[in-house]
């Protein structure tokens, strides 16, 4: 005997056993009503028909023996109810969402002996009242077998539906296989039960092979499965069959098709289905609206569809308002969002939970935070989404809002902690960060990768990479986002070699994405001690993965080559970039400015303006730097004024520093000092240092002393100010002041930073770093050979110079003799 057959036999025996009491009632069907009642009472006592109903349902019935007042009145008026009246009473209770009372009513008819007034429809309705509860369902199944009602297809279909809802698909399938002539409803019932199973497609094909015609319910069920499981080609075939058999006019089928295409991001096809529907209900409009909103790039289309929906006089519900308001958020359309908000209040949805949640998010995106807070405060009910959204918006009060949320007994989720940690990170609240890290451990939220990634970023921002690494190492599964957070943290903290090592580990464990390359290229670009060859190898890998056209990656490549002095490679990357963003233009201009190439800077700046790309503050900073180094004071003044007047960019401390440096290099120290006095607030360190450098260049001791005093007061441990002033005194021959200044440095513990240079001498696989050296050091193991080689090269240069001088003299003598 096969396993399936054994299971079927066991199921049958179990159901048969549970229906003993019902069997006794069936035997007495032909007896008079009075006799039936007596026998029924005796048998109920003998066999405990009270077990007919599940424990929880029985308790409720004991508390309320009369399901509803209407049902009691109906029974009193009709002491011998008919099948229709019984069915009507049970259905009435179901419509009132009282399934337990409906089952109680059905039970009462059997207890009172009105067995002759129970038909197949009664059984089907009673099974519907089970709501997927297998305990009363199995007992009704037993009664259906003993009473012979199991032969009715409606009863079998209802039983399959009950077992499917209770998750007992094997029993539903057993009933289906026992049917001689299953109808379309039978197939659809089992198909609905299999919706979350991989056997749906096979069962649908079996239905088709069995020549059972698909109806609207079949298509709706299958299309819903295709939407959830990305069965694209099968869904397309179903659509073709829908058109072939003329079911494309069915509203439910059309709605299922719109939902399916929307889930796949095929909004053009979804709209085509929508436009072709002869009749559209609210679900059709909402499906189209939701599709546009979920895709994110169709905010305008969603807004227009909502306006069409209102114009068409369709009934709006919370789904309509949620989608429409969300679309306004995507488009940053504050005016329309406020109008829809007003309409939602007018139609009674102003305090609806999901509508208010989306309104808070939309007002936040439109940078109207006070309105978002007002919506939140006026909400009657708030769930975790409401609290999480307001915590993410109001970063300043995020911690106190979290405590309020807990007081209202709303339990946070992983997104709540992500928003909270983000607010703590931006507020540099290190103590609170450690406290909530502990709470995450206590509440087991460290198992959520997004929470751990947020903690890695938080500790990196607090310059505690040791803690970031600890969180990273404790991860059960390290995804690429976790690697990105750690690489970015190392890059931001100037730990370029660690960033590169983490990147190489990430390549071994997962597939890097654009953010991975953006972070590691930033680390390589900002590091003097890492070979450019590592950046070139990353470039090759990027090309292999096809990410070289990605705006983030191409921008990072361009920036890396520019910072490392390879301008030709920067240009090549720039020309290969399909989307030349403001960042790309600024990077290439900054590269030339860093190398003092004024002509190229201005050429690229003019190209940028011709292309219609609006420069930002960083672009102007690079251009002003180039003007200063070239001594182009008039052009510098023109660009500085243009930045303020034409582009409405407020000059920062760095812009003033560039202008002061420009005037100082040209010897206009008085004008430079006057400009420093015009800076709003107190002049910053970089501005004063530029002015001090100019004083040293032109030997203005008095102004230098004033500026140096201000600098030393701001940054007493910064050696640059002391060194510049010391050099100024030395050039003027004021050696006593030089000695006094150096003595002061020693007493304060100020140390001059040693200048380092790096040289790439090895293969890329030998070492991560270049060899760093300073003047006169002997740390390299081959320092003796290096010094001998340097001496040899020096002698060789001198020899070449003598030979060149001698040849020039010979040419001069020969010319004179001519």
């Amino acid at each position: 005997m096969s396993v399936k057959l054994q299971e079927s036999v066991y199921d049958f025996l179990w159901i048969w056993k549970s229906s003993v009491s019902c069997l006794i009632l069936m035997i007495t069907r032909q007896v008079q009503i009075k006799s039936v009642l007596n026998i029924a009472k005796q048998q109920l006592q003998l066999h405990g028909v009270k077990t007919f109903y599940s424990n929880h349902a029985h308790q409720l019935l004991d508390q309320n023996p009369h399901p509803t007042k209407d049902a009691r009145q109906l029974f009193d008026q009709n002491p011998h109810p008919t099948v229709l009246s019984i069915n009507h009473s049970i259905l009435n209770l179901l419509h009132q969402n009282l399934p337990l009372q409906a089952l109680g009513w059905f039970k009462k008819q059997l207890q009172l002996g009105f067995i002759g007034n129970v038909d197949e429809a009664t059984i089907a309705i009673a099974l519907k009242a089970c709501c997927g509860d297998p305990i009363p369902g199995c007992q009704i199944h037993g009664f259906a077998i003993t009473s012979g009602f199991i032969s009715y297809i409606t009863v079998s279909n209802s039983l399959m539906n009950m077992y499917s809802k209770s998750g007992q698909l094997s029993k539903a399938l057993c009933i289906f296989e026992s049917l001689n002539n299953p109808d379309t409803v039978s197939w659809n019932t089992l198909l609905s039960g299999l919706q979350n199973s991989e056997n749906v497609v096979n069962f649908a094909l079996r239905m088709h092979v069995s020549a059972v015609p698909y109806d609207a319910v079949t298509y709706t069920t299958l299309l819903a499965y295709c939407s959830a499981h990305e069965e694209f080609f099968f869904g397309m075939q179903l659509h073709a069959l829908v058109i072939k058999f003329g079911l494309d006019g069915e509203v439910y089928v059309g709605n299922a098709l719109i939902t399916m295409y929307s889930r796949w991001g095929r909004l053009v096809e979804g709209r085509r289905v929508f436009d072709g529907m002869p009749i559209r209900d609210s679900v059709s409009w909402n499906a189209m609206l939701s599709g546009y909103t979920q895709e994110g790039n169709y905010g305008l289309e969603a807004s227009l569809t909502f306006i069409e929906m209102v114009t068409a006089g369709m009934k709006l519900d919370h789904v309509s308002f949620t989608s429409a308001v969300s679309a306004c958020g995507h488009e940053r359309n504050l005016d329309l969002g406020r109008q829809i908000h007003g309409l939602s209040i007018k139609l009674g949805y102003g305090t609806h939970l999901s509508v208010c949640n989306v309104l808070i998010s939309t007002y936040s995106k439109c940078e109207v935070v006070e309105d978002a807070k007002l919506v939140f405060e006026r909400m009657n009910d708030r769930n975790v989404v409401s609290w999480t959204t307001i915590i993410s918006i109001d970063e300043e009060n995020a911690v106190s809002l979290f405590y309020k949320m807990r007081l209202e007994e709303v339990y946070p989720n992983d997104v709540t902690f992500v928003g909270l940690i983000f607010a703590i990170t931006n507020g540099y609240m290190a103590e609170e960060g450690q406290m909530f890290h502990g709470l995450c451990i206590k509440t087991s939220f460290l198992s959520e990768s997004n929470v751990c990634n947020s903690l890695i970023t938080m500790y990196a921002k607090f310059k505690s990479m040791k803690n970031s690494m600890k969180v990273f190492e404790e991860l059960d599964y390290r995804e690429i986002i976790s690697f990105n957070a750690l690489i970015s943290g190392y890059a931001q903290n100037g730990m370029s070699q660690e960033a590169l090592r983490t990147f190489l580990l990430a390549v071994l464990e997962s597939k890097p994405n654009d953010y991975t390359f953006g972070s590691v290229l930033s680390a390589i670009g900002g590091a003097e001690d890492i070979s450019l060859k590592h950046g070139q190898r990353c470039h090759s890998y990027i090309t292999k993965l096809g990410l070289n056209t990605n705006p983030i990656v191409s921008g990072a490549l361009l920036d890396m080559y520019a910072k490392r002095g390879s301008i030709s490679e920067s240009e090549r990357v720039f020309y290969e970039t399909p989307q030349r963003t403001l960042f790309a233009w600024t990077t290439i201009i900054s590269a030339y400015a860093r190398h003092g190439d004024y002509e190229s800077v201005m050429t690229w700046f003019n190209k940028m303006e011709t292309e219609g790309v609006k420069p930002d503050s960083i672009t102007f900073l690079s251009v002003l730097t180039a003007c200063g180094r070239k001594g182009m004071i008039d052009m510098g003044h023109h660009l500085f004024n243009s930045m303020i007047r034409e582009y409405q960019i407020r000059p920062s401390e760095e812009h003033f520093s560039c202008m002061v440096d420009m005037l100082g290099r040209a010897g206009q120290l008085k004008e430079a000092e006057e400009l420093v006095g015009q800076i709003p607030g107190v002049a910053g360190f970089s501005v004063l240092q530029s002015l001090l450098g100019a004083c040293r260049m032109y030997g203005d001791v008095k102004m230098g002393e004033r500026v140096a005093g201000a600098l030393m007061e701001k940054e007493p441990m910064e050696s640059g100010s002391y060194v510049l002033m010391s050099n100024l005194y030395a050039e003027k021959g004021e050696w006593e002041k030089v000695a006094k200044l150096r003595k002061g440095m020693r007493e304060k513990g100020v140390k001059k930073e040693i200048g380092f240079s790096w040289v790439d001498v090895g293969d890329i696989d030998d070492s991560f770093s270049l060899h760093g050296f300073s003047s006169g050091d002997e740390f390299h193991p081959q320092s003796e050979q290096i010094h001998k080689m340097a001496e040899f090269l020096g002698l060789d240069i001198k020899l070449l110079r003598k030979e060149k001088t001698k040849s020039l003299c010979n040419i001069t003598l020969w010319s004179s003799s001519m």
Side-chain angles (χ1 to χ4, degrees):
M1 185 181 293
S2 66
V3 176
K4 284 189 176 180
L5 186 58
Q6 283 181 339
E7 288 179 355
S8 301
V9 171
Y10 291 151
D11 290 341
F12 180 79
L13 291 173
W14 177 54
I15 294 167
W16 184 273
K17 185 178 179 181
S18 66
S19 60
V20 173
S21 58
C22 299
L23 178 60
I24 295 170
L25 291 175
M26 187 196 73
I27 294 171
T28 61
R29 265 183 108 169
Q30 302 301 321
V31 186
Q32 294 179 354
I33 296 297
K34 187 175 180 180
S35 301
V36 170
L37 283 171
N38 292 332
I39 295 170
K41 287 176 183 177
Q42 292 171 11
Q43 297 302 332
L44 286 170
Q45 291 171 358
L46 287 171
H47 296 282
V49 173
K50 285 185 179 181
T51 60
F52 176 81
Y53 203 47
S54 63
N55 292 334
H56 62 279
H58 187 65
Q59 288 169 2
L60 286 171
L61 287 171
D62 286 341
Q63 294 169 9
N64 183 17
H66 306 291
T68 64
K69 185 178 179 181
D70 294 340
R72 192 192 315 116
Q73 288 176 350
L74 181 63
F75 180 76
D76 292 339
Q77 293 170 6
N78 187 9
H80 301 287
T82 63
V83 173
L84 288 175
S85 63
I86 291 171
N87 293 350
H88 177 76
S89 299
I90 300 173
L91 272 175
N92 187 40
L93 290 167
L94 278 178
H95 290 155
Q96 296 176 51
N97 198 25
L98 299 169
L100 297 179
Q101 287 86 333
L103 280 171
W105 186 257
F106 174 72
K107 168 189 172 182
K108 196 167 187 117
Q109 306 314 304
L110 299 181
Q111 287 176 334
L112 293 175
F114 298 130
I115 304 165
N117 291 335
V118 172
D119 64 359
E120 70 278 8
T122 318
I123 305 296
I125 297 166
L127 286 166
K128 185 177 181 181
C130 292
C131 298
D133 189 344
I135 297 174
C138 288
Q139 292 169 347
I140 295 172
H141 188 178
F143 174 73
I145 293 171
T146 56
S147 60
F149 284 118
I150 192 69
S151 60
Y152 289 91
I153 192 71
T154 53
V155 174
S156 296
N157 292 344
S158 298
L159 282 166
M160 285 191 291
N161 184 49
M162 183 272 300
Y163 283 124
S164 295
K165 286 181 177 177
S166 68
Q168 301 183 26
L169 282 172
S170 58
K171 292 178 181 177
L173 189 61
C174 181
I175 295 170
F176 179 82
E177 298 296 351
S178 68
L179 295 174
N180 294 324
N181 296 303
D183 59 4
T184 305
V185 178
S186 311
W187 288 89
N188 288 343
T189 303
L190 200 56
L191 200 61
S192 299
L194 292 167
Q195 197 163 3
N196 295 321
S197 168
E198 296 178 354
N199 298 317
V200 172
V201 177
N202 292 332
F203 192 77
L205 293 174
R206 179 182 167 186
M207 182 178 177
H208 184 69
V209 170
S210 302
V212 179
Y214 290 0
D215 62 4
V217 177
T218 316
Y219 286 114
T220 303
T221 304
L222 290 173
L223 289 169
Y225 172 80
C226 293
S227 300
H229 295 82
E230 298 183 0
E231 288 284 349
F232 178 75
F233 292 109
F234 186 56
M236 294 286 286
Q237 291 171 348
L238 287 170
H239 191 180
L241 287 174
V242 166
I243 296 170
K244 181 179 178 181
F245 293 106
L247 290 171
D248 49 333
E250 292 284 342
V251 177
Y252 296 120
V253 176
N255 294 345
L257 281 167
I258 294 168
T259 303
M260 180 186 73
Y261 282 122
S262 298
R263 289 270 177 87
W264 295 340
R266 303 276 185 136
L267 292 171
V268 175
E269 289 85 348
R271 183 72 197 203
R272 191 178 295 123
V273 172
F274 178 81
D275 291 336
M277 291 175 69
I279 301 172
R280 292 179 291 214
D281 60 7
S282 296
V283 178
S284 317
W285 288 92
N286 287 343
M288 200 68 243
L289 269 174
S290 299
Y292 281 135
T293 305
Q294 288 166 11
E295 193 64 20
N297 299 325
Y298 291 84
L300 178 61
E301 288 82 354
S303 300
L304 293 173
T305 303
F306 179 77
I307 293 168
E308 286 179 37
M309 184 180 182
V310 174
T311 308
M314 299 303 300
K315 184 180 179 182
L316 303 175
D317 59 11
H318 68 280
V319 179
S320 318
F321 284 114
T322 302
S323 300
V325 172
S326 181
C328 293
H330 287 307
E331 290 294 304
R332 306 295 191 270
N333 192 337
L334 181 60
D335 292 336
L336 182 60
R338 280 179 167 156
Q339 290 178 41
I340 296 172
H341 186 184
L343 184 60
S344 68
I345 294 170
K346 183 180 178 181
L347 296 180
Y349 290 97
T351 56
H352 192 279
L353 184 61
S354 60
V355 176
C356 287
N357 288 343
V358 179
L359 278 167
I360 295 168
S361 176
T362 297
Y363 281 132
S364 169
K365 288 175 181 176
C366 295
E367 299 179 0
V368 192
V369 178
E370 292 305 316
D371 286 4
K373 290 179 183 178
L374 197 61
V375 172
F376 177 79
E377 288 165 4
R378 290 182 177 178
M379 291 176 72
N380 297 326
D381 297 311
R382 304 183 187 111
N383 62 5
V384 68
V385 178
S386 321
W387 284 101
T388 299
T389 308
I390 201 67
I391 285 170
S392 301
I393 292 168
D394 193 0
E395 292 181 6
E396 190 177 338
N397 301 307
V399 175
S400 59
L401 284 167
F402 181 84
Y403 290 137
K404 286 179 183 178
M405 180 183 78
R406 299 299 295 122
L407 287 173
E408 289 196 12
E409 297 183 351
V410 177
Y411 195 75
N413 59 20
D414 56 327
V415 184
T416 313
F417 278 108
V418 169
L420 181 63
I421 293 166
F422 182 78
I424 289 169
T425 304
N426 288 345
Y428 291 94
M429 295 181 280
E431 189 177 337
E432 287 83 353
Q434 290 178 332
M435 183 177 66
F436 282 105
H437 184 183
L439 183 60
C440 288
I441 295 170
K442 185 178 178 181
T443 52
S444 301
F445 274 103
L446 279 190
S447 59
E448 300 290 341
S449 60
N450 56 348
V451 175
C452 291
N453 297 338
S454 298
L455 287 168
I456 292 169
T457 303
M458 179 190 76
Y459 283 121
K461 197 78 174 282
F462 296 159
K463 301 186 183 301
S464 178
M465 288 308 301
K466 201 175 280 185
N467 284 329
S468 286
M469 190 63 190
K470 188 177 179 182
V471 174
F472 179 79
E473 287 174 343
E474 289 174 355
L475 286 169
D476 296 326
Y477 169 71
R478 299 190 295 203
E479 57 185 0
I480 194 61
I481 300 171
S482 309
F483 280 104
N484 291 350
L486 193 61
I487 294 167
S488 177
Y490 280 131
Q492 289 167 14
N493 284 280
M495 303 169 72
S496 303
Q497 291 193 34
E498 288 80 0
L500 183 56
R501 286 192 182 93
T502 307
F503 168 75
L504 296 174
L505 182 63
V507 170
L508 293 174
E509 292 192 17
S510 48
K511 186 179 178 182
N513 58 21
D514 50 348
Y515 294 102
T516 319
F517 285 111
S519 297
V520 74
L521 290 171
S522 174
I524 295 169
E528 298 91 347
D529 59 343
I530 293 181
S531 172
L532 182 60
K533 292 175 183 176
H534 287 288
Q536 291 168 335
R537 187 162 72 170
C538 284
H539 192 173
S540 300
Y541 194 20
I542 286 163
T543 306
K544 183 180 178 182
L545 293 176
L547 291 171
N548 52 313
T549 57
N550 183 283
I552 295 171
V553 177
S554 59
L557 274 170
L558 204 157
D559 186 55
M560 180 200 70
Y561 282 124
K563 285 178 178 176
R564 299 303 296 270
S566 185
I567 297 181
S568 58
E569 283 296 319
S570 291
E571 273 199 33
R572 189 166 68 85
V573 172
F574 180 85
Y575 284 120
E576 289 175 356
T577 304
Q579 297 177 1
R580 292 169 189 170
T581 60
L582 172 61
F583 178 80
W585 284 98
T586 301
T587 304
I588 198 73
I589 290 169
S590 299
Y592 281 109
R594 197 176 291 115
H595 287 265
D597 191 345
Y598 169 77
E599 286 76 15
S600 297
V601 167
M602 295 310 300
T603 301
W604 281 95
F605 183 74
N606 292 330
K607 278 183 185 178
M608 179 183 178
E609 289 189 312
T610 305
E611 292 284 334
V613 181
K614 189 178 178 181
D616 64 359
S617 60
I618 301 171
T619 318
F620 277 107
L621 194 63
S622 300
V623 178
L624 290 172
T625 302
C627 291
R629 290 182 179 178
K630 186 69 173 177
M632 305 298 291
I633 299 172
D634 293 338
M635 178 57 73
H637 274 297
H638 167 73
L639 289 168
F640 186 76
N641 294 329
S642 173
M643 178 185 76
I644 299 170
R645 293 170 187 169
E646 292 182 29
Y647 294 97
Q648 287 81 47
I649 297 172
R650 186 178 179 181
S652 65
E653 182 185 323
E654 287 77 13
H655 293 104
F656 282 110
S657 179
C658 282
M659 292 301 294
V660 169
D661 182 64
M662 184 192 304
L663 293 168
R665 283 173 183 266
Q668 299 179 15
L669 299 183
K670 188 178 179 181
E671 291 82 351
E673 192 173 25
E674 287 175 358
L675 182 61
V676 171
Q678 295 172 14
I679 298 173
V682 182
F685 185 83
S686 62
V687 176
L688 294 174
Q689 200 166 42
S690 296
L691 185 57
L692 181 58
C695 292
R696 186 255 176 186
M697 189 184 297
Y698 287 95
D700 193 331
V701 178
K702 288 185 178 180
M703 186 184 290
E705 286 176 342
R706 289 199 304 271
V707 176
L711 279 168
M712 291 171 190
E713 189 179 341
K714 279 181 176 292
E715 296 286 346
M717 301 304 290
E718 173 61 43
S719 64
S721 310
Y722 295 93
V723 172
L724 283 171
M725 205 61 212
S726 176
N727 292 340
L728 179 55
Y729 286 139
E731 286 176 4
K732 293 293 181 180
E734 298 181 14
W735 299 107
E736 291 181 6
K737 290 185 178 180
V738 171
K740 185 180 179 182
L741 195 62
R742 289 181 177 176
K743 184 183 177 183
M745 287 180 69
R746 285 193 298 272
E747 289 174 351
K748 292 177 183 177
V750 179
K751 292 183 179 179
K752 180 184 175 182
E753 291 183 10
I754 300 171
F756 267 88
S757 297
W758 287 266
V759 61
D760 191 351
V761 294
D763 185 65
I764 191 168
D765 297 318
D766 290 345
S767 174
F768 284 117
S769 61
L770 305 178
H771 174 64
F773 63 94
S774 62
S775 177
D777 80 31
E778 295 181 354
F779 292 109
H780 196 279
Q782 293 178 298
S783 60
E784 190 178 341
Q785 293 94 317
I786 291 169
H787 281 290
K788 285 182 179 179
M789 178 58 71
E791 188 178 350
F792 171 75
L793 289 171
L795 292 170
D796 201 23
I797 290 167
K798 286 180 181 179
L799 182 62
L800 288 170
R801 190 178 294 158
K802 283 181 181 179
E803 288 180 356
K804 187 177 181 182
T805 305
K806 188 178 179 180
S807 62
L808 285 170
C809 289
N810 291 334
I811 292 169
T812 305
L813 288 170
W814 182 77
S815 299
S816 300
S817 64
M818 292 293 288

